[in-house]
Amino acid sequence: MKKRILALTLTFALAASVLAGCGGDDKKEETKAPETQAAGGDETQAAGGDETKAETEAAAPEGGESKGVIKLGGLAPLTGQYAEYGKGFDIGFHKAIDEINAAGGVNGYTFEIDIKDTQSEPVTTSTMATAFAEDDEIMALLGDFSSGACKATAQICDSYGILQLSPTASASDYAAMSKYFFGIMGRQDVEAPFLAKYVLKEYLKAQKIAVIRVDSDWGKSCYDNFIAQAEKEQLDVTVETYATGEKDFSSLITKMQAENPDVLVVMDQGDPVADIFNQADAAGWKIQHVALGPGTSEQVVGRLNDKDNLIVTSPFFFDPDDAELTAWAEWFQGEAGFAPTIHPACAYDCVYLLAEAVKSIDGEVTRENLRDALANLPEYTGVTGSIKFEEDGDIKRNYMICGIEGGEWKVLEGFEFGAAGF
Amino acid sequence: MEYILNQLINGICQGSIYALMAIGYSVIVGVVGMVTFTYGEIMMIGAFSSYYIFTGLSNNLPLAILGAFAGSFIIGSIVYKLCYERFFNAPRHISLLCTIGISMLIKNLAQIVFGPDTKPVLNVIDNTTFTLNLFGANLNIRLLQIVVIVLVIVFAVALTLFFNKTKWGVMLRAVSQNKDASYLMGISVKRTALLGNCIGCGFGGIAGILLALYYGSVSATMGASYSTKAFAASVLGGLVDIRFSALGGLCIGIIENMGIIFTSATFRDVFAFAFLILILIIRPQGFVSKKGARV
């Protein structure tokens, strides 16, 4: 008997932990309740109670008649090495949906999202995307985080005719892969050349560059775009790569140190950026640090040993003088427990873009007309700035040069610095 | 020359951590008699225990080592109770599957409890670099690397003394060599195996703190890749011999880092596992002698 109880307890604990890890969608129910009530769905009856009734009245659809719920499929790395970005996606998507639903929805529609954990692994992403695509109620996919994972769903999106709007895919060939692909992060074929010409050549006046980059789709695309411009600028570049998930960079640093470069550039996102610079500091290597990928990440600042030695490119900056942005950032920090980067802000903007697309549709919303409406959306200004899709479904952003001073991000050169282009 | 020597230092330091990981792994396999898949998560628990001591009680290294050992020791006892104790006489794959399940459980719980973000472990040891002139070449060695190597040597020697000079050590060796004979000699095999598993896990915890110090960070998912290295090093040493497992770990660390001289870091695991395969082709029993020397 004792054995049976132990076995049952274990099974439940294991299942609960795996589900918590994979699902990570605590807020789904909170979001879903008022939405479905607003839509007048059957679930309202099941939820019941005076409190939910009051919420129903508060969230009555804009324009009177309720047309239903638009369900979205979220793809995000809720666990694994990109988990903090996945958490940012989760919070960003839900905040936007809560706000839209609380304001009465759009054209009689409210929104609902089901987020699946993909760990930003292409195989998992395509499996989850297929599951969403086969569900006729899912109108669009939001996510994934990495360009590689996003690209893995091209055939699925084409076959099922469902759009995928990624907050963060930045590979220059991503959006062009499918007419159903959209991205709002900006493209590496703009950011990487900006790094070579404006950050390294003009701002830092560096000549000999050491690049350490992640050996991934994203990293390769970044470097290819970077080196093409670096050659035009006649920069002397040495490059080394490492596998995704690597923690030990000491040997790479020793190898690069032997080259005696002017600047150390890291092309990656998140943890490895701080790890590489910290390990370079620990090796006693005094060199200017530059990163392509993390943007003005507070997590990176929090993890850096020498905070005031990093310069990055960024299309976006949480300006402390902007009350609205500051309030958004503070709210995010309260929810997530860490300061936001551009990534959750892009996730937030993605939902509003879809809401704008729905607003422009007369009649019933289908996957196909939602895709067309999104593609033809006029310029929209979100938290992350101006967004206007180009023909291939991607956008081109402008970039600033940001650095850390006294432990805080500052704009070193604004958008005007690189305005002349390439 | 200078560059190669500096890479050798990196390799020795990384190899030392692998060696400690492999020692703990070999103790578990030797005494319990079964392979474990929870070792990566055990190291992660050790790393997080030290992280919370560093952040809560200032950068007290001895206390953090004690905390890492204790944290992993306790988790080790739970793992033993859940995965091994009830399945001693069951087919081996039962325990094996249990350790896979528990590994997933610990990892996912850690992501919920500790959070998904990577946490920094900085400035615990002074960022000092010593330069030695060796045959005209400047050899850079960091204080952190010296501390890591010294700690690994100290713990390896302490464990060897424990196994050879204490009553519990002799009992552990006896259980490792022959469980039935040990039982007939009046040794409580289950209790001794529990202790062996916990000590092995405790050493995994100390390896976890060294990883946290060396790489400056801890995360809930950090264990996976290191457990593979610990297993590989342990296999090189014949799975149950702590001295040869330590040698295996050291070799893997050096081979990985020397390989980077000729190619990119992307292929570091290729070097490590190619070396493992090569050795196993030549000596299927690993570095250990054919007669076998257990814990």
Side-chain angles (χ1 to χ4, degrees):
Chain A
M1 186 63 187
K2 272 173 79 182
K3 278 184 185 174
R4 196 171 289 172
I5 292 169
L6 180 73
L8 274 172
T9 314
L10 248 181
T11 311
F12 275 120
L14 185 60
S17 86
V18 171
L19 284 176
C22 294
D25 200 0
D26 301 332
K27 291 183 195 158
K28 187 180 163 191
E29 292 309 316
E30 291 165 28
T31 311
K32 197 175 174 180
E35 281 165 24
T36 46
Q37 289 146 15
D42 292 338
E43 290 174 48
T44 312
Q45 303 297 326
D50 292 343
E51 196 181 321
T52 48
K53 200 173 172 185
E55 284 175 16
T56 308
E57 283 161 10
E62 188 185 65
E65 194 191 346
S66 163
K67 291 180 183 167
V69 179
I70 290 179
K71 291 188 178 174
L72 307 172
L75 303 165
L78 299 173
T79 59
Q81 63 163 332
Y82 300 122
E84 54 189 292
Y85 297 104
K87 190 174 179 181
F89 273 22
D90 186 14
I91 294 169
F93 290 149
H94 277 104
K95 179 172 171 61
I97 286 175
D98 288 346
E99 285 175 0
I100 292 166
N101 290 342
V106 176
N107 277 2
Y109 289 102
T110 51
F111 289 83
E112 182 181 314
I113 190 164
D114 179 10
I115 301 179
K116 303 273 189 210
D117 180 17
T118 63
Q119 297 197 339
S120 226
E121 293 277 351
V123 175
T124 317
T125 301
S126 53
T127 307
M128 297 301 177
T130 306
F132 279 136
E134 283 178 346
D135 180 350
D136 292 337
E137 291 191 335
I138 301 286
M139 286 292 133
L141 302 178
L142 285 177
D144 201 330
F145 172 71
S146 72
S147 297
C150 290
K151 286 184 195 175
T153 62
Q155 206 174 352
I156 297 160
C157 290
D158 281 344
S159 304
Y160 290 90
I162 187 167
L163 77 87
Q164 174 178 280
L165 174 55
S166 170
T168 50
S170 60
S172 39
D173 56 346
Y174 154 70
M177 286 179 76
S178 164
K179 74 167 192 168
Y180 294 96
F181 274 6
F182 297 87
I184 64 163
M185 187 60 168
R187 291 163 47 145
Q188 286 156 15
D189 57 355
V190 181
E191 189 172 11
F194 177 87
L195 174 78
K197 180 173 180 178
Y198 290 104
V199 180
L200 299 174
K201 183 79 178 182
E202 292 191 13
Y203 184 78
L204 291 171
K205 303 195 186 322
Q207 183 55 42
K208 206 168 177 186
I209 316 294
V211 176
I212 299 182
R213 72 164 177 89
V214 63
D215 200 3
S216 68
D217 251 23
W218 180 89
K220 185 177 182 309
S221 172
C222 257
Y223 182 72
D224 289 348
N225 285 300
F226 167 80
I227 197 69
Q229 185 68 33
E231 279 169 4
K232 285 182 198 164
E233 305 300 329
Q234 295 178 323
L235 297 176
D236 181 7
V237 179
T238 311
V239 64
E240 280 296 332
T241 59
Y242 58 88
T244 306
E246 182 60 85
K247 289 276 177 200
D248 180 35
F249 303 100
S250 49
S251 44
L252 273 186
I253 286 162
T254 305
K255 195 170 182 178
M256 283 304 196
Q257 208 172 354
E259 299 288 331
N260 198 24
D262 303 325
V263 175
L264 172 62
V265 178
V266 174
M267 295 180 181
D268 201 344
Q269 292 153 336
D271 300 333
V273 176
D275 287 338
I276 293 170
F277 291 138
N278 283 341
Q279 289 178 33
D281 284 340
W285 192 14
K286 303 284 176 211
I287 188 166
Q288 175 66 55
H289 299 164
V290 174
L292 178 65
T296 51
S297 163
E298 289 294 334
Q299 288 98 300
V300 169
V301 177
R303 292 201 47 223
L304 280 175
N305 213 350
D306 180 6
K307 297 185 194 304
D308 292 356
N309 188 30
L310 176 61
I311 287 176
V312 298
T313 57
S314 180
F316 170 73
F317 182 68
F318 276 106
D319 185 354
D321 297 331
D322 185 325
E324 202 176 328
L325 268 184
T326 305
W328 196 96
E330 283 172 359
W331 171 86
F332 181 90
Q333 179 135 17
E335 286 287 304
F338 54 84
T341 55
I342 188 175
H343 308 88
C346 281
Y348 175 83
D349 276 353
C350 278
V351 178
Y352 270 99
L353 280 166
L354 284 179
E356 287 295 311
V358 169
K359 200 185 276 183
S360 69
I361 297 172
D362 287 329
E364 193 189 354
V365 174
T366 64
R367 285 179 176 180
E368 202 57 41
N369 66 16
L370 185 57
R371 183 254 157 227
D372 293 341
L374 188 68
N376 297 317
L377 213 58
E379 188 170 344
Y380 169 79
T381 304
V383 170
T384 60
S386 169
I387 297 167
K388 173 81 179 91
F389 289 112
E390 302 207 326
E391 206 169 314
D392 63 0
D394 218 327
I395 70 165
K396 282 188 177 170
R397 289 189 184 266
N398 297 317
Y399 293 90
M400 293 176 279
I401 303 176
C402 297
I404 308 169
E405 285 175 8
E408 287 189 1
W409 285 110
K410 302 271 182 232
V411 175
L412 303 176
E413 292 290 350
F415 289 124
E416 66 284 351
F417 190 73
F422 304 102
Chain B
M1 180 64 180
E2 193 171 294
Y3 166 54
I4 292 171
L5 284 174
N6 283 319
Q7 287 292 31
L8 184 65
I9 293 290
N10 290 332
I12 291 170
C13 189
Q14 198 178 16
S16 301
I17 303 178
Y18 288 171
L20 195 64
M21 284 162 30
I23 288 171
Y25 199 92
S26 292
V27 172
I28 294 172
V29 178
V31 177
V32 179
M34 293 181 218
V35 169
T36 177
F37 279 92
T38 57
Y39 200 61
E41 280 58 53
I42 295 287
M43 288 190 280
M44 177 267 292
I45 294 290
F48 266 101
S49 305
S50 64
Y51 166 76
Y52 285 111
I53 289 170
F54 287 141
T55 49
L57 300 167
S58 81
N59 290 340
N60 189 328
L61 185 59
L63 194 63
I65 290 172
L66 200 64
F69 184 84
S72 298
F73 190 96
I74 293 165
I75 298 294
S77 68
I78 297 169
V79 169
Y80 178 83
K81 290 281 177 193
L82 296 176
C83 301
Y84 301 128
E85 193 176 69
R86 290 164 193 282
F87 305 117
F88 259 129
N89 298 318
R92 281 169 174 259
H93 67 269
I94 304 282
S95 288
L96 199 71
L97 287 172
C98 269
T99 60
I100 293 171
I102 294 295
S103 157
M104 288 164 66
L105 176 74
I106 297 173
K107 189 159 52 185
N108 283 298
L109 284 178
Q111 289 206 323
I112 295 165
V113 176
F114 304 138
D117 50 319
T118 300
K119 304 197 164 33
V121 179
L122 300 172
N123 304 320
V124 176
I125 292 166
D126 240 16
N127 192 14
T128 311
T129 304
F130 302 99
T131 305
L132 306 174
N133 196 292
L134 201 70
F135 309 118
N138 283 331
L139 193 64
N140 296 321
I141 181 158
R142 288 182 274 151
L143 179 61
L144 175 64
Q145 290 176 318
I146 295 169
V147 170
V148 166
I149 293 167
V150 169
L151 282 175
V152 170
I153 292 169
V154 166
F155 285 113
V157 170
L159 188 69
T160 308
L161 290 174
F162 173 77
F163 274 123
N164 292 311
K165 304 284 180 190
T166 68
K167 187 183 159 195
W168 275 103
V170 174
M171 283 161 66
L172 282 164
R173 283 167 56 208
V175 169
S176 169
Q177 283 161 14
N178 192 321
K179 288 186 177 56
D180 293 336
S182 304
Y183 179 73
L184 291 171
M185 296 302 291
I187 295 172
S188 168
V189 172
K190 284 191 174 177
R191 209 167 54 174
T192 311
L194 168 67
L195 179 71
N197 187 66
C198 291
I199 290 174
C201 289
F203 270 70
I206 296 172
I209 183 178
L210 296 183
L211 290 169
L213 288 174
Y214 196 55
Y215 303 130
S217 63
V218 293
S219 70
T221 52
M222 66 184 280
S225 59
Y226 297 120
S227 69
T228 323
K229 294 282 166 63
F231 182 63
S234 192
V235 168
L236 269 179
L239 262 178
V240 292
D241 188 299
I242 59 171
R243 290 162 304 166
F244 284 110
S245 294
L247 180 65
L250 195 62
C251 285
I252 287 180
I254 293 171
I255 295 282
E256 271 186 19
N257 283 272
M258 297 309 275
I260 292 170
I261 294 173
F262 308 105
T263 178
S264 105
T266 307
F267 304 110
R268 68 187 308 154
D269 286 353
V270 174
F271 284 103
F273 289 103
F275 177 70
L276 174 70
I277 291 166
L278 189 70
I279 294 294
L280 292 182
I281 289 170
I282 301 165
R283 287 178 66 87
Q285 73 276 25
F287 292 145
V288 76
S289 69
K290 271 190 182 166
K291 286 178 184 173
R294 300 180 74 90
V295 171

